[in-house]
Amino acid sequence: MTETTVHIDDVAPGVAINPDMWGVFFEDINGSADGGLYAELVRNRDFSFGPRDDPEWHPLTGWTTDGAVEVGDARASGGHRVRLTAPATLENTGFVALPLTAGAAYALTVRATASPGADVRVALLDDAGEAVAEAPVTGDTDAVLVPRRDAAHGRVRLHVASGSCEVWWVSLMPTATFRGEANGLRDDLARTIADLRPRFVRFPGGCVAHGFGLDNLYRWKHTVGPVEERVGDRNIWGYHQSMGLGFFEYFRFCEQLGAEPLPVVAAGVCCQNSPGGQAGFTDAEMDDYVRDVLDLIEYANGPVDSPWGARRAAAGHPAPFGLRYLGVGNEDEITDAFAERFARLLEAVRAAAPDIVVIGTAGPFPAGSDYDRGWELARELAVDIVDEHSYKAPKWYFEHLDRFDAYDRSGPRVYVGEYGSRGNTMLCALAEAASMMGMERNGDVVRLASYAPLLARVDHTQWTPDLVYFDDTEVMLTLNYHVQALHAHAPGTRALPVLVENAPAWERPRTGRIGIRLRAESGTLTVEHASLDAGGHRQQTGLHRGERDVRLPLGARGTDYTVRARVRLEEDGRDGFLVAFGDVDGPDHFEWRFGTWENRFLVLCEVSDGLSDEWTEPLPSRFDAGRTYDVEIRVEGGGKHVVCLLDGDVVHDIAHDGRPEERFSASAVVDDRDGTTWLKIVNATDAAVPLTATLASGHAVSALEITSLTADPGEGRPFAPAPAAPRVSRVDGARWTVPPFTFAVARVVR
Ligand code: AHR
């Protein structure tokens, strides 16, 4: 077996790493705020749900009623008054379930008026519907209830036995929130985040920040002040956000974590995926909006005698929160409308608060037109940091570990605000670990990074993969989470040069067998004809009408071939169809997707390790039912060059740039705060790698104190606990055999 040597240059000055490098990005997606991190147990506690959230919803969604229960006037916050006349009952079963623990204390808050002498009670019910704790309600009520028995599916019941009652708020929260904070966070979830030792928290989105339409832009002012007066809204991910977890709570959470707050405000435009596309505030609206953003800075940092500093103080926090970073925009399409509004906000923030580091955006993808325009704009305006995102397959990360090596050292710095390798397998976790090593190695350019999304509730998820899954009582950590923790627990202030001698070789297995497959993503297809020509060999099929999945079996061999098909969608559905080609039964092939993402884009994808990833920039296109399309795909250059034609026109013409996948990498960081040198290793090959570490200073390595994560590359999946956890070991001397499919951080002991 060849020995691999890792030479660490511990006498070089190295590259400075921002001590705030590793953080988290929290967005209210996947039910991660209400019913998630925010500890509230009552769903729709203020009777504010409605058709704006979901066409089927109304103020009593989430509640069951019995007797005379009437929805009354709306309040300024959007909630409603509800009138109950005896005998009448309202019951709430929580977000998914409402678990109660015997002996635990729950803070009940009811805002109501009762008729004189009315008999109104709130009870907590167990699984059998028996009351396990109770409190009388004579009007506004604040009580602590302690259930006598556990319940997995508890309920909160408000019952009017005589008289009448008008109620507009029923809230129940465990008192044992994270660090005992009132209006606080679910302890186990908050601790899971705290255990990552994040140096910053980005919030409240993501897409949530710029909103689904201008009227849905996240307005931070609606999220502070008395919780009962906060203005909830539709969440872009298709549900309701109460804003109970608002900017005050985010700032407090950051403070408790010892993390820098990194709020993101919209750049005065909404998400380009909103109905009608990107829209921006008018000039006059922008005046107010710029004021809102400056007020946010004042809310966080202003003195108590400033108008917004006073509001912070009124909320119980006279000391400033010490805001240093501000994100402006998220994944926006970089249009003139965006650029104008962004520039205006930037100028205003610079004038009012020159110490704030403004973070701009470079669109949704790590390359392409928005990325180019976003960077161009950032350079032109000398923006401090640019937030760029990459959601790619592991192959892409292994091919781009040197991505930041070539970045301009004199321009804006980088915040990798969202990244994730499309899965929760060990291979994905390894790709992320290696990519983070590349960021650290380029710490002079990459100043901040955060994986996304962070949390996802079982059965309430819009986006996978995520870092942590949870239900009412369980928290499931992923392999990706362990990677984040391993890096964060081995932080550096400088990246040292590392030379790897005899890195293990790795090559992606190739298959010579090819086939094609046409599949409707929703509804059915008619395929009039499909053929595959490879090296003089032809396979073809005749008419298939109204089928979901039409295939030409693997048979032909070769790397260069031509696919032709005449195909149409039979019904308009949510999505279009795809033509897969290559080794369609294996983990590596291609997919040309027609009408992906709700029938809005045309894109060529590469499937590697079983994960599909956009290879070309998605082109806005819709594919209508009933229209027949002529599809031709030419694969040339030994399988590396793909040309796609639609109705005779070339739509994509793309070739692999021949980048190797680096499946083994090693890096080293030193933490000048305590003098620790950390060696970090990713072995994403199936070979055990005998490795020796050396130090350029000539010091002998007397031991390696290793924390390692090992699992089969395909192990790990969403909604399940990670199949492996980090293990601690120690070897005397400088030699260690790195197991296959391992990420390890080792303290280098001299
Ligand atoms: O992380 C989920 C979403 O991904 C974010 O809201 C958005 O910024 C990105 O598209």
Side-chain angles (χ1 to χ4, degrees):
M1 221 184 266
T2 330
E3 284 277 337
T4 297
T5 310
V6 175
H7 300 284
I8 304 171
D9 188 350
D10 58 340
V11 288
V15 168
I17 301 171
N18 181 5
D20 298 339
M21 180 74 148
W22 306 130
V24 294
F25 164 41
F26 179 86
E27 171 166 26
D28 183 2
I29 183 173
N30 304 327
S32 56
D34 295 322
L37 184 61
Y38 183 50
E40 176 62 69
L41 292 169
V42 175
R43 178 163 177 251
N44 194 12
R45 65 186 173 187
D46 62 347
F47 311 100
S48 63
F49 285 16
R52 182 171 158 80
D53 303 309
D54 180 302
E56 311 270 286
W57 289 4
H58 49 79
L60 290 173
T61 292
W63 296 88
T64 52
T65 63
D66 192 21
V69 178
E70 262 175 83
V71 176
D73 299 341
R75 298 169 55 242
S77 64
H80 287 80
R81 295 173 191 282
V82 174
R83 192 174 171 78
L84 293 93
T85 308
T89 307
L90 271 177
E91 269 184 24
N92 194 289
T93 50
F95 285 86
V96 174
L98 198 157
L100 297 170
T101 305
Y106 294 83
L108 170 77
T109 320
V110 180
R111 297 289 171 255
T113 46
S115 61
D119 180 358
V120 185
R121 308 185 80 72
V122 167
L124 305 186
L125 309 185
D126 67 7
D127 295 347
E130 301 288 329
V132 289
E134 269 193 290
V137 172
T138 48
D140 289 350
T141 303
D142 295 276
V144 172
L145 299 182
V146 179
R148 288 179 289 276
R149 280 188 297 280
D150 285 346
H153 295 271
R155 274 173 277 167
V156 176
R157 183 177 64 192
L158 184 134
H159 180 66
V160 182
S162 67
S164 66
C165 165
E166 199 171 69
V167 59
W168 49 271
W169 180 270
V170 182
S171 158
L172 186 77
M173 276 204 182
T175 57
T177 54
F178 181 63
R179 311 264 167 101
E181 190 88 350
N183 192 46
L185 306 182
R186 186 174 138 177
D187 190 47
D188 54 354
L189 283 174
R191 273 190 290 111
T192 300
I193 298 172
D195 288 346
L196 287 172
R197 301 188 203 153
R199 294 303 311 252
F200 68 89
V201 181
R202 176 178 185 241
F203 58 87
C207 292
V208 159
H210 59 182
F212 202 57
L214 266 184
D215 65 346
N216 184 237
L217 223 97
Y218 194 93
R219 307 309 289 252
W220 75 269
K221 285 182 179 171
H222 292 172
T223 78
V224 296
V227 75
E228 293 115 354
E229 286 165 25
R230 295 189 188 171
V231 185
D233 197 3
R234 173 205 167 130
N235 179 299
I236 194 169
W237 298 105
Y239 52 96
H240 182 91
Q241 48 191 345
S242 75
M243 310 301 184
L245 171 53
F247 266 44
F248 181 80
E249 290 73 27
Y250 283 123
F251 281 125
R252 274 293 289 149
F253 188 37
C254 290
E255 189 170 59
Q256 290 168 331
L257 296 173
E260 297 287 341
L262 196 168
V264 180
V265 295
V269 296
C270 65
C271 181
Q272 58 270 21
N273 297 322
S274 308
Q278 185 185 71
F281 286 138
T282 61
D283 246 21
E285 287 165 340
M286 267 313 273
D287 288 341
D288 293 341
Y289 187 66
V290 168
R291 191 66 262 153
D292 269 8
V293 172
L294 299 183
D295 288 346
L296 169 61
I297 298 172
E298 186 175 288
Y299 183 76
N301 292 353
V304 291
D305 57 0
S306 62
W308 284 96
R311 304 264 193 130
R312 181 191 69 238
H317 203 285
F321 283 118
L323 178 69
R324 284 175 49 214
Y325 298 109
L326 180 69
V328 179
N330 169 69
E331 291 197 355
D332 298 284
E333 190 180 350
I334 313 296
T335 57
D336 291 347
F338 167 85
E340 270 167 38
R341 288 159 183 80
F342 176 84
R344 198 160 153 190
L345 284 160
L346 179 68
E347 197 188 339
V349 172
R350 278 183 175 158
D355 294 341
I356 295 285
V357 174
V358 172
I359 301 176
T361 175
F365 306 112
S369 45
D370 289 318
Y371 172 87
D372 292 339
R373 284 198 289 262
W375 267 100
E376 205 179 302
L377 179 69
R379 276 191 283 267
E380 196 180 299
L381 299 175
V383 175
D384 302 303
I385 298 184
V386 172
D387 174 17
E388 54 169 74
H389 297 173
S390 59
Y391 291 101
K392 303 294 288 175
K395 179 173 184 276
W396 184 88
Y397 288 100
F398 289 124
E399 286 173 344
H400 291 83
L401 297 182
D402 61 353
R403 174 176 176 83
F404 299 109
D405 296 7
Y407 269 50
D408 176 8
R409 266 49 198 170
S410 61
R413 301 302 194 241
V414 177
Y415 167 32
V416 188
E418 298 181 26
Y419 64 93
S421 66
R422 302 202 167 201
N424 290 121
T425 64
M426 186 62 186
L427 190 70
C428 293
L430 288 168
E432 289 154 16
S435 162
M436 291 169 82
M437 283 157 59
M439 295 178 203
E440 238 173 11
R441 209 162 27 78
N442 287 283
D444 53 339
V445 168
V446 182
R447 307 302 284 159
L448 306 154
S450 46
Y451 178 98
L454 178 57
L455 300 182
R457 188 188 235 288
V458 176
D459 294 334
H460 203 95
T461 291
Q462 296 83 41
W463 183 294
T464 50
D466 304 282
L467 209 57
V468 175
Y469 299 95
F470 65 94
D471 60 19
D472 287 299
T473 48
E474 206 187 338
V475 176
M476 290 163 270
L477 308 182
T478 58
L479 293 165
N480 319 62
Y481 174 94
H482 291 311
V483 162
Q484 293 291 318
L486 284 175
H487 266 298
H489 297 184
T493 49
R494 280 182 299 131
L496 300 176
V498 165
L499 182 76
V500 181
E501 217 180 311
N502 287 330
W506 185 85
E507 234 178 286
R508 182 167 287 276
R510 288 210 164 270
T511 165
R513 305 190 63 205
I514 41 187
I516 57 177
R517 177 174 187 186
L518 298 100
R519 195 181 75 216
E521 296 287 47
S522 40
T524 57
L525 287 174
T526 287
V527 176
E528 289 185 5
H529 156 91
S531 67
L532 173 70
D533 291 279
H537 176 85
R538 162 167 276 228
Q539 278 173 271
Q540 59 186 327
T541 180
L543 181 68
H544 288 257
R545 197 187 290 283
E547 289 180 32
R548 182 88 206 268
D549 200 350
V550 176
R551 336 169 32 109
L552 251 67
L554 292 185
R557 291 192 170 270
T559 53
D560 294 11
Y561 51 94
T562 302
V563 170
R564 287 190 189 84
R566 266 177 77 72
V567 56
R568 76 171 165 271
L569 269 176
E570 286 305 325
E571 309 92 27
D572 279 319
R574 192 168 172 268
D575 290 297
F577 61 97
L578 66 81
V579 180
F581 52 102
D583 178 7
V584 294
D585 289 339
D588 298 338
H589 54 270
F590 301 100
E591 286 174 348
W592 194 8
R593 292 178 168 259
F594 298 78
T596 193
W597 299 333
E598 299 172 359
N599 205 350
R600 287 188 297 122
F601 293 96
L602 174 64
V603 64
L604 175 63
C605 295
E606 186 178 19
V607 180
S608 53
D609 306 296
L611 294 165
S612 186
D613 190 359
E614 296 80 37
W615 192 16
T616 59
E617 191 165 353
L619 302 171
S621 320
R622 196 187 151 74
F623 291 85
D624 294 320
R627 196 181 141 195
T628 305
Y629 296 93
D630 270 310
V631 173
E632 181 175 332
I633 302 161
R634 299 183 204 136
V635 183
E636 304 163 349
K640 296 207 158 38
H641 180 191
V642 180
V643 183
C644 298
L645 296 92
L646 184 60
D647 294 333
D649 296 326
V650 174
V651 180
H652 312 292
D653 183 342
I654 187 163
H656 266 296
D657 54 14
R659 284 169 168 273
E661 282 177 71
E662 283 181 61
R663 290 287 200 113
F664 182 91
S665 44
S667 66
V669 297
V670 63
D671 188 344
D672 289 309
R673 292 162 297 193
D674 62 6
T676 306
T677 301
W678 295 101
L679 170 63
K680 302 185 176 183
I681 300 155
V682 164
N683 179 14
T685 77
D686 55 4
V689 178
L691 168 148
T692 303
T694 72
L695 294 170
S697 60
H699 285 105
V701 174
S702 68
L704 294 171
E705 292 173 356
I706 302 157
T707 310
S708 59
L709 181 68
T710 301
D712 284 345
E715 276 193 299
R717 61 186 169 83
F719 308 112
R727 292 180 47 179
V728 176
S729 60
R730 180 188 158 97
V731 292
D732 290 328
R735 204 166 172 282
W736 181 52
T737 299
V738 190
F741 301 109
T742 293
F743 173 46
V745 298
R747 186 192 294 269
V748 178
V749 185
R750 290 180 182 178

